[in-house]
Amino acid sequence: MKRSFGFRLVVGGILPWCLSLSCVAAFARPAVAQASPGSPASAPPAQASATQNSQDITTLEFGKPIERELAGGQKHIYLLPLSAGQYAKVEIKEHGINVAFTFQRPDGEILRDWTPYGPHVEDLAVREVADVSGTYRLEIHTTPRAAPGRYEVRLAELRPATENDRALQEARTLFAQYARTRDEGKWSDAKALILRVLEIREKVLGPDDPLVGATLTFVAASYGDEGDYARAEPVELRALQITEKARGPDHPDVAMELLHIGTDSRLRGNLVKAEEMQKRAWAITEKQKLTETPMAAGVLEALGNTRYDAGDYAGAESYYLRSRAVWEKILGPDSFHLSFSYTFSGDVAYQQGDYQKAEAMFQHALSLAEKGMGQESLMVTTYANDLARVYCTTGAFEKGEALYRRVITLHEQKAAMSHPLVQTSLFGLARCLEAEGNWSEAVKVQAKASEVAERYVAVNMALGSEREKHIFLNDLSLRASRNISLQTQFAHNDPSALRLAVTTVLQNKGRVQDAVSSSLTALRQRFGPEDQKLLDQLNGLNSQLAKLVLNGPQRLSPAEYAQKTKGLEQQREQLEGEMSLRTAGFYQGSKTVTLAAIQAAVAENAALVEFAVYRPFNPKAPDNRKAYGKPHYAVYVVRNHGEVQWKELGEARAIDEAVDKLRQALRDPERKDAQQLARAVDVQIMQPVRSLASDATHLLISPDGELNLIPFEALIDEQGRFMVERYSITYLTTGRDLLRMQVTRESKSKPVVVAAPLFGEPEPRQVAGAQPRLKPASVAERRRSTIAAQDLSQVYFAPLSGTAQEARVIQSLFPEAHVLTGTQATKSALQRLIAPRILHIATHGFFLQDANAEASRNTSGPDTKSGQPPALKIEEPLLRSGLALAGANLNQGGRGREGILTALEASNLNLWGTKLVTLSACETGVGEVRNGEGVYGLRRAFFLAGSETLVMSLWPVSDRVTREMMTSYYTGLKRGQGRGDALRQAELAMLKRKDRRHPFYWASFIHSGEWANLDGHR
């Protein structure tokens, strides 16, 4: 991912964050030892013409304006006598020239220092409450290359200071401290100072004042300094709203706010949003005829960075060259502010394999930066990182290591290890050490890098929508692969490498599900009026979106349909972001993830089996596109004590192909090769585990990739036994689930059984030539999924009268259960539930095909000659899966099918405290597999809803067999057996019957989550 320069984090410095033109007087910064890159402050304001004379010094008088001509290299001095406690406001109006100034106390201390950075400022002013009596000094100058122009200066106010004046003066003083503290790399201290500045200004000026908006920009910068881009974004959005309201939608200040938002969006991986914001900023720049200003150069760089992150290196370089031409015209070719421009071009050369050019560009960038800021400035970190990277790539390891260690030491000395750039230095150094074969040292450095990265990930995962969380983790997932690869491919016998790898797996798997679940849980636990309002809004939006997507365009044109769908999706994302912001820091469900904590949660007789998909990393490869190999599987076995055991299982493709063949055989009771295929898969993934698990009798299996879709119980060992005969098996999303299970959840209501919904009979289609609805084969015997369908218009849900008997059996065992059948088995009834102790749903399930995936597999493209409408494109897998309830076949008054509960809607059910959810329907455990995040479908939805345990199916089974299984299962639960053991005993009982020996009959249902009995006893 491209770093940010000029206008954002990496350059540090304050002026780039003061591009909001309304803030210059209030934010004019104190002089510091090092100037900040990205602002034209490199022209020292104190440099005066050698021909200064007494005529350049003028005393300001109240109400008397002075107009003068000024050119580059000239300086005008104004004296301002003040008494302690007086308030003075000096206004400066620009006429054809950008004015810079410094303002000094009587003792010579610089109080304000402003250098022009954009177009002319409308309300440039110096405001000061004198703390001592004496003559204050205002020096007005301009940039060295500026053409002559005129300005006017006027002492506009001179009076005793009010309480508000003194408060705002305190804010200016605090801002000066913030500026110095941030330059020193003390990010946390700087953040506290700028938050105090914001508090004062909001109190005095009100929440919608432009100065408050400008202050918010700096608050967002402080969050960004610590890599907390998720928290920065809502602050920036508020700043944008204030600025637009105060300045209008086409003001340059608005362009700068858009640029800030775009930068953070890019740093979080959301390139579409980033480019949208940047192009809006450029449109304003063009409209205001500011295409040859520093602001224009910054926007062009930002657009180049986004193109770079998208892999469009030619497009990126085009933007970079345009930007550099602007900078050179303004500042000259040797200004240190061009350092970031050269490093951008160096990155492009590096990615294109031109290492000689890349080295030259990076070296020039570093030289300019060091010349302007000094070797000890934190702001040179990124330039040193770049040059070190190219050294390590070309085999100059000693040079590369020296540079990396220099910047790491500098950050350590200045206690600035929280900055995201430190991750780049640490991971870069580790890669250099790996390329040399220095594995032990590489492990130490990479472990430190991962520790820094973990803090960075944690703060960003706390906020934002689910989609934004996925985008953010996509880039970082490769670093997890690096940790695993370092251990499995190179440092085989290094205990530190092993601990790093397994800890990485434990921290990263299922991370998005955890974050989303935490936010929903926090709202449900607090459950105040505002929390309920947010949940109701989310439920409403999800229902609207589900109805719109599943019912299709109806009378809407394709463009109108797409626009309406996108609008609802954007509203949902915004609401998810608001929810996560509201609940950030409230939910403390699982403790800090450490290997020791996980081991302590594993029982003596159990073994945690963590599978992980990773991509082997080659540290000698020239760039990341070539460094990561094809996906592999690894497995880690964690016992209550002792070292973690592990095994590299090989390339994922071969294992996934074997898994797919086994799945097909398990679905068909007539297949004779099921056991043979089960043995083949066992050899690849479980035979190695058995020796690692030693005497464990309970396997806590956390699958990854396609392994999520098979019942491990059906695998065959060396003695020809099914695994269910040897082990109790519990499925987990991640080993972290063991920590979450330690949080007590109380049920809120009695068990509920939903069965035999009255789906209704749809009216025949009236359209000539329309295709009939598909009816599943053997509808009297099987609870079929409609996985072969592409939208619900093709689906007919056949009656399931046999499920009523299933419900009666469960009610006979749990008389307190509330049974909903027929017309009562509705979607709305489910949505009204509040954490029933047990929720059993016996109906049809469905998982629709992804039309996009199908089209990509069809090399001939869509059928344009058949006259059939194109397949419905539903990208969200939680909208392609769901359950059929009462009225599922009916199009009610043109409103669509009201009897469909999508997985997206199910994720908002209130099941926090529900001990067991049983989805006695077809293929409720399948869905879209995402490596590291599990299965997206009903499985994910019901865990998000809060269920402790989920029993689900992996293929369709007949009503009769399912009824037998559920009768046995609930009988065991009633006797006090565990939620896992009761299912295992039901499977073993069926396995003993000759006519049920095929895994098709007994292995379809698996259980995931808590395995204790319903009273919580294990």
Side-chain angles (χ1 to χ4, degrees):
M1 178 180 290
K2 201 78 185 70
R3 291 93 59 236
S4 177
F5 296 78
F7 291 87
R8 287 307 305 250
L9 311 167
V10 172
V11 293
I14 302 303
L15 286 177
W17 272 98
C18 197
L19 295 177
S20 175
L21 305 180
S22 63
C23 78
V24 291
F27 286 126
R29 62 176 295 184
V32 292
Q34 305 293 342
S36 61
S39 66
S42 58
Q47 283 184 349
S49 169
T51 61
Q52 291 290 331
N53 55 60
S54 60
Q55 292 181 345
D56 292 323
I57 301 176
T58 306
T59 299
L60 290 173
E61 298 181 42
F62 177 71
K64 293 184 178 181
I66 300 172
E67 184 174 341
R68 300 184 66 181
E69 184 175 273
L70 184 69
Q74 294 181 336
K75 176 168 60 176
H76 298 159
I77 299 172
Y78 299 92
L79 303 180
L80 180 60
L82 293 175
S83 301
Q86 270 190 313
Y87 169 81
K89 177 184 177 183
V90 180
E91 294 178 344
I92 304 171
K93 294 184 179 180
E94 300 170 324
H95 303 298
I97 191 169
N98 282 9
V99 169
F101 67 79
T102 60
F103 186 69
Q104 301 175 19
R105 288 181 49 172
D107 61 4
E109 178 186 349
I110 295 179
L111 298 173
R112 307 283 173 258
D113 179 6
W114 164 246
T115 300
Y117 198 73
H120 298 296
V121 179
E122 299 158 2
D123 53 355
L124 185 58
V126 179
R127 298 171 175 85
E128 190 71 24
V129 175
D131 59 342
V132 296
S133 298
T135 300
Y136 290 74
R137 179 184 175 109
L138 174 66
E139 297 182 357
I140 294 181
H141 57 280
T142 186
T143 53
R145 298 165 64 89
R150 301 191 67 81
Y151 72 93
E152 179 184 295
V153 60
R154 181 172 73 100
L155 177 57
E157 291 187 51
L158 185 64
R159 54 175 171 75
T162 66
E163 183 177 347
N164 282 347
D165 291 332
R166 286 189 287 271
L168 293 175
Q169 178 74 11
E170 180 189 358
R172 287 190 289 271
T173 302
L174 288 170
F175 184 84
Q177 295 176 29
Y178 159 75
R180 289 189 294 269
T181 305
R182 186 176 181 224
D183 280 350
E184 293 168 359
K186 298 176 181 177
W187 319 120
S188 180
D189 293 343
K191 181 173 67 177
L193 288 166
I194 195 62
L195 286 172
R196 175 61 182 149
V197 173
L198 176 65
E199 181 183 1
I200 293 171
R201 287 174 174 165
E202 282 187 311
K203 182 178 179 180
V204 174
L205 303 172
D208 298 323
D209 188 89
L211 184 55
V212 171
T215 310
L216 287 166
T217 304
F218 287 90
V219 173
S222 284
Y223 286 129
D225 286 333
E226 297 179 322
D228 193 351
Y229 307 123
R231 199 178 296 271
E233 184 174 348
V235 177
E236 289 166 340
L237 288 172
R238 184 185 163 200
L240 175 63
Q241 291 170 352
I242 293 172
T243 305
E244 281 187 313
K245 183 177 179 181
R247 305 293 183 187
D250 295 326
H251 195 277
D253 288 5
V254 173
M256 296 314 305
E257 296 298 346
L258 290 169
L259 190 56
H260 295 156
I261 295 170
T263 297
D264 274 347
S265 297
R266 181 183 63 78
L267 290 169
R268 298 191 72 210
N270 193 341
L271 302 186
V272 173
K273 182 176 181 180
E275 197 160 45
E276 178 186 346
M277 296 294 105
Q278 291 156 0
K279 286 185 175 179
R280 283 179 60 190
W282 181 250
I284 294 173
T285 304
E286 287 188 311
K287 187 172 183 177
Q288 298 295 336
K289 296 180 172 54
L290 300 173
T291 55
E292 293 186 353
T293 64
M295 184 176 78
V299 177
L300 291 169
E301 284 159 3
L303 284 162
N305 289 345
T306 301
R307 287 290 84 216
Y308 178 95
D309 282 357
D312 177 12
Y313 301 125
E317 179 68 347
S318 175
Y319 279 121
Y320 295 154
L321 291 175
R322 289 172 62 189
S323 171
R324 192 181 310 156
V326 176
W327 282 124
E328 288 181 342
K329 185 172 183 179
I330 298 171
L331 302 172
D334 298 323
S335 170
F336 78 89
H337 297 292
L338 270 72
S339 53
F340 47 84
S341 179
Y342 282 105
T343 206
F344 289 158
S345 292
D347 277 329
V348 170
Y350 181 89
Q351 294 296 348
Q352 293 174 335
D354 189 347
Y355 302 123
Q356 184 175 359
K357 179 181 177 181
E359 182 179 347
M361 289 285 179
F362 291 151
Q363 182 64 71
H364 188 54
L366 180 59
S367 297
L368 288 174
E370 288 180 336
K371 180 181 177 182
M373 295 176 288
Q375 290 189 353
E376 298 303 309
S377 171
L378 291 176
M379 303 311 145
V380 304
T381 297
T382 188
Y383 308 106
N385 281 345
D386 287 328
L387 187 57
R389 172 162 51 103
V390 79
Y391 282 150
C392 290
T393 299
T394 56
F397 300 122
E398 187 175 343
K399 288 183 177 180
E401 287 182 33
L403 269 177
Y404 279 133
R405 292 189 187 280
R406 189 188 102 187
V407 297
I408 292 168
T409 300
L410 182 62
H411 278 263
E412 287 175 335
Q413 289 173 345
K414 298 196 175 186
M417 293 298 288
S418 64
H419 197 286
L421 275 179
V422 179
Q423 298 177 52
T424 304
S425 301
L426 289 167
F427 277 110
L429 177 58
R431 182 174 186 166
C432 206
L433 293 165
E434 289 177 53
E436 284 186 279
N438 189 349
W439 312 123
S440 60
E441 186 65 18
V443 170
K444 293 177 185 177
V445 175
Q446 198 146 308
K448 191 172 185 177
S450 297
E451 182 182 343
V452 174
E454 174 58 23
R455 294 195 296 269
Y456 170 63
V457 172
V459 296
N460 279 278
M461 289 301 292
L463 299 174
S465 68
E466 180 172 359
R467 188 180 68 87
E468 289 173 325
K469 290 178 171 66
H470 275 296
I471 292 172
F472 176 72
L473 284 182
N474 280 342
D475 184 65
L476 296 175
S477 65
L478 293 178
R479 289 184 174 175
S481 282
R482 284 186 60 175
N483 289 352
I484 299 170
S485 181
L486 177 58
Q487 181 261 320
T488 59
Q489 305 293 317
F490 305 114
H492 308 288
N493 301 316
D494 189 326
S496 297
L498 177 59
R499 285 192 291 273
L500 174 61
V502 72
T503 301
T504 297
V505 175
L506 292 170
Q507 287 177 337
N508 285 289
K509 282 178 70 177
R511 191 133 200 182
V512 174
Q513 177 174 306
D514 260 9
V516 176
S517 177
S518 296
S519 181
L520 289 170
T521 298
L523 288 177
R524 291 172 184 137
Q525 285 184 314
R526 299 194 318 184
F527 215 61
E530 290 301 315
D531 302 318
Q532 182 60 58
K533 181 180 178 181
L534 287 175
L535 287 170
D536 289 344
Q537 288 176 339
L538 184 62
N539 289 337
L541 278 173
N542 284 343
S543 293
Q544 290 180 60
L545 187 58
K547 186 183 299 183
L548 179 65
V549 170
L550 292 180
N551 292 330
Q554 302 292 323
R555 293 188 175 91
L556 297 174
S557 70
E560 291 171 331
Y561 179 63
Q563 183 178 10
K564 190 171 183 180
T565 302
K566 183 179 180 180
L568 288 174
E569 288 173 341
Q570 289 176 338
Q571 289 181 55
R572 184 172 62 124
E573 277 198 46
Q574 184 176 354
L575 187 60
E576 286 176 347
E578 183 179 346
M579 290 168 62
S580 62
L581 184 63
R582 180 174 175 80
T583 59
F586 173 81
Y587 180 70
Q588 303 293 333
S590 55
K591 302 174 184 177
T592 301
V593 178
T594 64
L595 178 57
I598 298 293
Q599 283 188 298
V602 178
E604 288 286 343
N605 70 325
L608 171 62
V609 182
E610 279 280 3
F611 289 94
V613 176
Y614 77 101
R615 294 176 62 187
F617 178 74
N618 176 11
K620 295 184 179 180
D623 60 68
N624 283 347
R625 291 176 300 168
K626 301 174 182 177
Y628 292 93
K630 296 178 180 179
H632 279 225
Y633 279 105
V635 63
Y636 296 92
V637 178
V638 181
R639 299 296 302 274
N640 183 268
H641 56 275
E643 283 290 342
V644 174
Q645 304 297 308
W646 68 279
K647 183 74 174 179
E648 215 286 339
L649 300 178
E651 193 172 323
R653 181 177 178 180
I655 294 173
D656 290 345
E657 287 176 352
V659 165
D660 186 62
K661 291 177 182 178
L662 174 60
R663 288 182 62 208
Q664 300 308 314
L666 292 175
R667 296 167 62 91
D668 185 354
E670 302 301 322
R671 289 279 292 266
K672 306 299 184 185
D673 58 349
Q675 293 192 28
Q676 175 186 344
L677 294 171
R679 177 71 191 118
V681 172
D682 181 87
V683 168
Q684 291 176 289
I685 66 171
M686 281 308 296
Q687 186 167 307
V689 168
R690 277 190 290 275
S691 60
L692 304 180
S694 186
D695 60 348
T697 57
H698 184 191
L699 300 184
L700 306 168
I701 297 179
S702 172
D704 202 357
E706 297 300 313
L707 301 184
N708 281 285
L709 301 179
I710 59 167
F712 282 70
E713 292 88 341
L715 300 185
I716 302 288
D717 68 13
E718 300 89 331
Q719 287 76 43
R721 293 180 300 173
F722 290 108
M723 275 187 57
V724 71
E725 297 178 273
R726 181 171 177 177
Y727 298 105
S728 295
I729 295 176
T730 297
Y731 297 93
L732 305 174
T733 301
T734 163
R736 293 195 312 281
D737 291 352
L738 298 174
L739 303 181
R740 187 165 42 253
M741 290 174 186
Q742 298 170 358
V743 179
T744 304
R745 311 182 193 184
E746 295 296 331
S747 301
K748 299 295 192 299
S749 56
K750 296 177 180 180
V752 173
V753 180
V754 178
L758 185 62
F759 302 123
E761 290 298 323
E763 296 180 6
R765 289 188 177 184
Q766 302 299 318
V767 181
Q771 298 295 312
R773 296 180 185 272
L774 301 179
K775 293 190 178 184
S778 306
V779 294
E781 296 182 2
R782 295 232 193 147
R783 298 177 197 184
R784 291 289 302 267
S785 91
T786 56
I787 196 167
Q790 291 181 326
D791 62 65
L792 288 182
S793 67
Q794 299 176 328
V795 178
Y796 170 80
F797 295 105
L800 288 172
S801 56
T803 61
Q805 185 177 345
E806 184 177 316
R808 288 192 291 271
V809 169
I810 295 173
Q811 190 176 40
S812 69
L813 295 167
F814 295 88
E816 72 277 19
H818 181 48
V819 177
L820 300 172
T821 59
T823 58
Q824 292 183 319
T826 62
K827 172 180 173 179
S828 59
L830 266 179
Q831 292 175 319
R832 287 194 298 268
L833 296 178
I834 301 177
R837 189 170 185 235
I838 297 172
L839 176 59
H840 182 97
I841 304 175
T843 184
H844 285 298
F846 66 87
F847 182 73
L848 303 177
Q849 291 174 338
D850 181 356
N852 292 314
E854 288 299 304
S856 66
R857 286 193 290 266
N858 180 6
T859 56
S860 63
D863 183 2
T864 57
K865 298 180 180 180
S866 64
Q868 296 301 313
L872 182 64
K873 294 183 179 181
I874 310 175
E875 295 181 2
E876 170 58 73
L878 295 191
L879 283 173
R880 287 189 275 117
S881 57
L883 298 170
L885 297 162
N889 286 331
L890 304 179
N891 188 336
Q892 300 178 1
R895 300 194 305 270
R897 298 190 180 196
E898 300 289 336
I900 298 296
L901 179 76
T902 64
L904 185 64
E905 295 167 292
S907 67
N908 294 126
L909 296 177
N910 187 355
L911 302 180
W912 181 261
T914 296
K915 303 301 178 184
L916 169 67
V917 171
T918 301
L919 300 179
S920 183
C922 49
E923 298 183 294
T924 48
V926 302
E928 181 178 298
V929 175
R930 295 184 180 177
N931 291 344
E933 277 294 324
V935 180
Y936 274 65
L938 289 166
R939 180 190 298 203
R940 182 181 186 83
F942 278 91
F943 277 123
L944 286 177
S947 176
E948 284 188 14
T949 304
L950 181 63
V951 171
M952 53 200 157
S953 62
L954 297 176
W955 57 81
V957 183
S958 71
D959 263 358
R960 183 176 59 184
V961 172
T962 301
R963 189 165 59 250
E964 291 173 5
M965 178 69 72
M966 291 302 152
T967 298
S968 180
Y969 179 51
Y970 279 89
T971 299
L973 290 175
K974 184 65 176 180
R975 291 172 179 167
Q977 292 179 352
R979 283 164 256 182
D981 188 53
L983 184 61
R984 181 185 180 222
Q985 295 306 318
E987 292 172 342
L988 290 172
M990 192 169 287
L991 181 57
K992 291 177 181 179
R993 295 173 51 179
K994 290 183 179 180
D995 61 341
R996 297 286 190 266
R997 183 74 179 170
H998 194 289
F1000 166 83
Y1001 296 104
W1002 55 266
S1004 173
F1005 286 95
I1006 61 173
H1007 94 281
S1008 182
E1010 177 61 70
W1011 61 91
N1013 69 12
L1014 293 174
D1015 293 324
H1017 301 303
R1018 293 179 179 173

